[in-house]
Amino acid sequence: MSDKTNGSALPAEMKNVPVKKITIIVLLCWTLFLSVSLVWNLHHETQMTIAQATSEAEGHFNKDVVYRRWAALHGGVYVPTTEHTPPNPLLAQLPERDIETTSGRKLTLVNPAYMTRQVMELAAEQYGVRGHITSLNVIRPANKADDWEQQTLKAFEVGEQKNASVEMIDGTPYLRFMRPFITEASCLACHAQQGYKVGDIRGGISVSVPMDTYYQIRRSSITTISSWHLLTYLFGCGLITFGGRFLNRRVEENHLIHNELRINQDRFASLLTLAQMKNRTEAELVDFALAEAIRLSGSDVGYIHYYDEDSKTIQLFRWDDKTLQDCTLPDLSSAYPLSESGVWTDSIRSRKPVIHNDYKNLPNKKGLPEGHFPIDRHMSVPIVAGEHLVGLIGVGNKPQPYNEYDVTQVSLYATSVWEIIQNQRTLLALEKQEQQLSTFRALIDQSSDAIFIVSTEDGQFLDMNERAHHYLGYSRQEMLNFKVLDIDINQPENFNWSDHIKEVKKHRQFLIESIHQHKDGSLLPVEINVRVITLNSGEFMVAAVRDISARKQIEAELLEHRLHLEDLVKERTLILEQRTRELEESQETLQELLAEVNEAKQELEQANSKLQELDKLKSMFIASMSHELRTPLNAIIGFSSLILNGLTGEINEQQRDQLDRVYRSGRHLLSLITDVIDISKIESGRIQAVPNDFSLAELIDEACDSLKPQLLEKNLQLIKHETDQDITLHSDRKRLLQCLLNYLSNAVKFTEQGQIEIYVAAVDNTLTFCVTDSGIGIRARDIPLLFQSFVRLDSHLKTTTPGTGLGLYLTKKLVTEVLGGTVWAESTPGQGSRFCLKIPQRITS
Amino acid sequence: MNQVLIIEDNPDNLVLIDFILKKSGYSTLHAETGYKGLEMALRGHFKFIVLDIQLPDIEGTEVLKLIRAKEQGKQVPIIAMTSYAMSGDRERLLAEGCSGYIEKPIEPLLVMAQIDEILKASA
């Protein structure tokens, strides 16, 4: 219900605006923008610096060209000959290189190149600007081009018009500028001899302007630009961060407002739901309210206790399901005094909501009982109905501290729930009353008595049940118009209603018989029970009228019956007395009989113990006999074996044959004795299983091993079909081996050719072991005889095969009585037999 | 020391075991009663003693107990030979200090192997 209203106040995307992310992206963009701007500005500044230096260099160049042109136009100029300006040796061929003025002053011709060089030297000295006239083809060797100039000149030859770049000269940066120098007419005076014509590129003038000054300017500019950028950047960052924070706060505030709104909606919806829960039981309502109180206050657990102001006891009404799961306290349902309860009931004592946000460290806390889950925070609110305290509702373990909102919420809940419960209780009580009333009315209507409410003033009928108008044949409406005297005709002549009422009021209740008249005129004998009752609106009479015509008749009949009954009772009493006497006699006889039975029982017990004694004697006799019988056998078997095996010297064939008969007879006798002893032990119950754990596979191996000589002798094959996994049995190994050996040796005895197979199957907790042979087989009618004692079946092998007739009997006894299993056999004559036993894998002793 | 003491009252059985032991290279001394056997066992030095359990004067188990009670009788191997085949006999004998147990009737071809095995186990 509350989930549906989620997020309706605010679109969901508003809650998820990633303000921080956006702020970081804007900051990154701002950083990128200013970085680009700074780089561009610095680059521009460098370009400007070079452009300015180039411009200066170009100025120098132009000036040099103009000087040179001017000098060339004049074919050179004469200047006084000084140490600094000696006559140019390259002009020595000119007749008028050195002249003398009339005043005797010596002048020498300075050609344009000479002049330019001197001017350049002057400029270099005074301004640091170096000039250099050069060519790939110089007249004066000192004018030879350096590397940079040579490259530039070569570039001019292929059409370049100028070259400018920053280069290092003697470790100092210079802007070097160079332009081609074009041959003019005036140049030919000196350079025609080299073959130049007007318009040819004769060489170039390079100008080198020191960059120091420009670099200084540039540095200052860079500093300024960088500073401004930094300032702008920081300012921008500040603005963005501030804006981001502001936005973030707004979004968070929105969030909080939204959450508050949602919670309020939720709470409102929940209250509304509660208010609409009309047709629920009180327990359901309380459960709902408790669950909602827990949910809306963000708590983990909660409870509602009733409080009884009169006895000052509290009683648990409901804990939420989770609390019940976590709590292992024994009995929580009984009421106990408020004084014994802990701080959690402070809200009842103080009649105010109580918040414990640090429950564990409360100073006056009693401590939780054993098995109670831990409480971190707790809040409880009293439930008040008018002036009365009726209980408390508490919640606990909210992750955050409880606050006033929670108190308000839970209080609202407590009050609302209590109001609804009160209303329901009232409603229920009313319904019950109404129901009772209608039941009561129905009861009265169905009464076989006619019941009237009668006015004491004049005997007017005011109300009546159904029976009341039926029994006289009137309708209800007709009856309501009647007074008592209209139907009651058994009144004395001087009857006065008000006197009658006085009498009635004096007794308050009385029973009279009277006669009422039916609508058809017939008369009914009636019995009237009158009672005066006081209701809100005054005193009334209630009269219950009973038709007693039937009763009158029955009364007469009853009297007759009673007389008859008395006779009957007398007669019966006599018979009963006689029967009692008979019973006593037969009881005496029975006791006598019982005594006889007891006597017989004692005799029987004596006989039984005598029998047991005899049995013991028999067993002792057999044990002793067996020893006595085995002692001579030791000599018989021992000596015959010695002689047969040639230990006492050679014997002839006849002797060997006869002695062999002695030896085998001895062996046979021994096995007979052993079997007889075993059987007697089993029959006297003196063999008990001696169980221990052993491996089935090893047991089978042992059985097979001891059978090997006989198998070899008859050339029979033994095939084992064992289980996949070895089984550990807990049984009597010796006895089980004895049984297996008996089956196997029987199989060998009665099989002439073919094979003997062993099958082992472990199912559930049983083990089935079968031996199948390809021997002579057994006739179906003989199978039931197999496991009986001293039975040897007829066959052509009977005489040649040794046997006692006890082997299978003993096996059956061992399997059934010692190992707790069963045996059976199947056979097809001429094809073979199958002998099986099935025992539990574990003997339980 | 290759001497064996045979305590056995039945002359047939005595001859049988005597023959087999001698055949295997032992020399033998005989006692027909328990007390005589006890006396000889404590006096002489035997490789081992063959003891019948049913004797005319005292039970072989008693003889066994008495031999084992004396210092000089603690070490000598004693092999019981009996036709008592009740369950628990073997355990009782071994508990009294018997070195081994051979059931009668004996199988002459196997008995020496049985004796050797018992001697090896008690060594």
Side-chain angles (χ1 to χ4, degrees), chain B residues 47-110:
Chain B
K47 175 115 179 176
F48 60 94
I49 296 169
V50 176
L51 176 63
D52 182 28
I53 294 304
Q54 203 173 47
L55 294 167
D57 50 354
I58 52 168
E59 286 280 311
T61 44
E62 202 61 29
V63 177
L64 173 68
K65 229 190 284 182
L66 290 168
I67 293 174
R68 287 297 186 220
K70 294 279 189 278
E71 195 54 45
Q72 59 269 46
K74 289 243 192 298
Q75 295 299 327
V76 61
I78 300 173
I79 299 168
M81 270 190 193
T82 177
S83 47
Y84 261 128
M86 294 292 171
S87 59
D89 284 352
R90 177 188 286 256
E91 287 69 26
R92 198 160 56 244
L93 281 165
L94 291 176
E96 298 282 6
C98 177
S99 312
Y101 176 101
I102 296 173
E103 201 171 306
K104 284 189 208 167
I106 58 170
E107 182 54 68
L109 292 182
L110 298 177

Side-chain angles (χ1 to χ4, degrees), chain A residues 171-270:
Chain A
T172 316
Y174 281 87
L175 181 98
R176 298 200 71 173
F177 179 84
M178 194 167 183
R179 267 194 144 167
F181 196 55
I182 311 293
T183 311
E184 294 172 3
S186 56
C187 302
L188 292 177
C190 295
H191 295 282
Q193 60 187 25
Q194 285 173 287
Y196 288 117
K197 290 192 287 287
V198 174
D200 285 350
I201 295 172
R202 205 173 68 234
I205 298 176
S206 79
V207 180
S208 299
V209 180
M211 289 300 287
D212 284 351
T213 324
Y214 290 105
Y215 278 170
Q216 263 173 17
I217 295 167
R218 195 180 70 173
R219 264 199 296 282
S220 129
S221 288
I222 285 172
T223 313
T224 313
I225 289 168
S226 301
S227 305
W228 271 110
H229 270 84
L230 186 67
L231 275 176
T232 313
Y233 176 68
L234 289 178
F235 181 68
C237 284
L239 267 181
I240 292 165
T241 314
F242 177 75
R245 287 221 178 130
F246 180 72
L247 200 62
N248 197 29
R249 205 159 53 230
R250 285 303 300 272
V251 169
E252 273 172 7
E253 274 168 13
N254 267 343
H255 234 135
L256 281 177
I257 291 167
H258 165 73
N259 275 344
E260 199 65 39
L261 204 62
R262 191 178 56 74
I263 289 169
N264 279 339
Q265 269 185 347
D266 207 2
R267 290 175 171 184
F268 180 68
S270 177

Side-chain angles (χ1 to χ4, degrees), chain A residues 487-720:
Chain A
I487 56 167
D488 195 322
I489 55 161
N490 191 28
Q491 303 302 339
E493 283 190 13
N494 58 347
F495 180 81
N496 180 296
W497 181 258
S498 55
D499 289 346
H500 172 65
I501 285 300
K502 267 183 204 161
E503 193 71 15
V504 168
K505 279 185 178 172
K506 206 164 87 189
H507 291 100
R508 307 299 288 182
Q509 184 189 6
F510 59 89
L511 191 71
I512 51 164
E513 285 189 9
S514 184
I515 295 167
H516 283 181
Q517 190 164 33
H518 195 271
K519 194 179 183 180
D520 63 10
S522 60
L523 298 178
L524 287 170
V526 292
E527 182 189 79
I528 308 168
N529 191 345
V530 180
R531 190 185 281 267
V532 179
I533 55 166
T534 308
L535 291 177
N536 297 342
S537 47
E539 277 187 327
F540 302 92
M541 283 202 310
V542 176
V545 179
R546 186 170 292 176
D547 178 354
I548 54 171
S549 49
R551 197 181 83 189
K552 289 274 177 197
Q553 196 182 333
I554 288 166
E555 270 173 6
E557 282 174 22
L558 254 166
L559 191 68
E560 198 180 314
H561 279 163
R562 206 177 68 197
L563 292 174
H564 177 67
L565 204 67
E566 274 171 11
D567 289 344
L568 217 65
V569 166
K570 266 180 203 159
E571 195 181 316
R572 288 281 156 87
T573 309
L574 278 173
I575 295 172
L576 207 65
E577 277 169 5
Q578 197 182 335
R579 288 275 158 84
T580 308
R581 268 199 307 280
E582 280 170 14
L583 201 67
E584 277 168 3
E585 275 168 33
S586 52
Q587 251 176 358
E588 270 168 35
T589 322
L590 201 67
Q591 270 172 0
E592 277 166 31
L593 270 171
L594 261 174
E596 276 171 37
V597 166
N598 267 338
E599 214 170 294
K601 205 172 110 187
Q602 268 175 4
E603 277 170 27
L604 210 64
E605 274 168 7
Q606 274 173 7
N608 197 18
S609 68
K610 233 179 238 173
L611 214 60
Q612 278 175 357
E613 223 167 276
L614 273 174
D615 194 55
K616 214 181 280 176
L617 268 174
K618 185 191 92 178
S619 297
M620 276 175 67
F621 169 74
I622 288 173
S624 147
M625 275 303 292
S626 91
H627 179 256
E628 294 304 327
L629 288 171
R630 285 156 78 106
T631 303
L633 271 178
N634 191 37
I636 296 171
I637 292 171
F639 283 118
S640 53
S641 167
L642 277 182
I643 302 167
L644 272 174
N645 287 295
L647 293 173
T648 55
E650 285 292 307
I651 50 171
N652 66 31
E653 267 314 299
Q654 199 181 10
Q655 286 169 329
R656 171 179 298 279
D657 176 61
Q658 286 165 359
L659 202 58
D660 189 45
R661 287 171 197 278
V662 173
Y663 176 76
R664 278 194 283 111
S665 300
R667 280 276 164 208
H668 186 196
L669 191 55
L670 178 66
S671 60
L672 260 174
I673 293 166
T674 312
D675 285 357
V676 166
I677 292 167
D678 277 349
I679 288 165
S680 86
K681 280 184 197 163
I682 293 171
E683 285 181 344
S684 62
R686 287 200 295 123
I687 287 195
Q688 284 193 336
V690 186
N692 39 23
D693 287 340
F694 58 89
S695 150
L696 174 66
E698 279 175 23
L699 181 83
I700 290 172
D701 285 345
E702 188 178 334
C704 295
D705 280 348
S706 59
L707 212 67
K708 253 181 199 155
Q710 290 105 295
L711 287 167
L712 276 174
E713 197 180 313
K714 297 187 89 168
N715 198 22
L716 294 172
Q717 264 207 308
L718 181 70
I719 302 163
K720 285 189 271 184

Side-chain angles (χ1 to χ4, degrees), chain A residues 305-352:
Chain A
H305 276 70
Y306 282 154
Y307 175 64
D308 181 29
E309 278 190 330
D310 297 334
S311 61
K312 294 205 185 308
T313 54
I314 50 174
Q315 181 171 17
L316 175 68
F317 180 67
R318 268 294 192 275
W319 281 23
D320 68 303
D321 295 341
K322 184 183 184 309
T323 311
L324 285 175
Q325 276 169 19
D326 291 354
C327 194
T328 55
L329 284 176
D331 179 30
L332 297 160
S333 54
S334 52
Y336 54 97
L338 178 66
S339 54
E340 284 179 19
S341 62
V343 289
W344 59 276
T345 51
D346 280 354
S347 57
I348 288 188
R349 282 187 272 267
S350 63
R351 301 178 77 97
K352 276 189 301 201

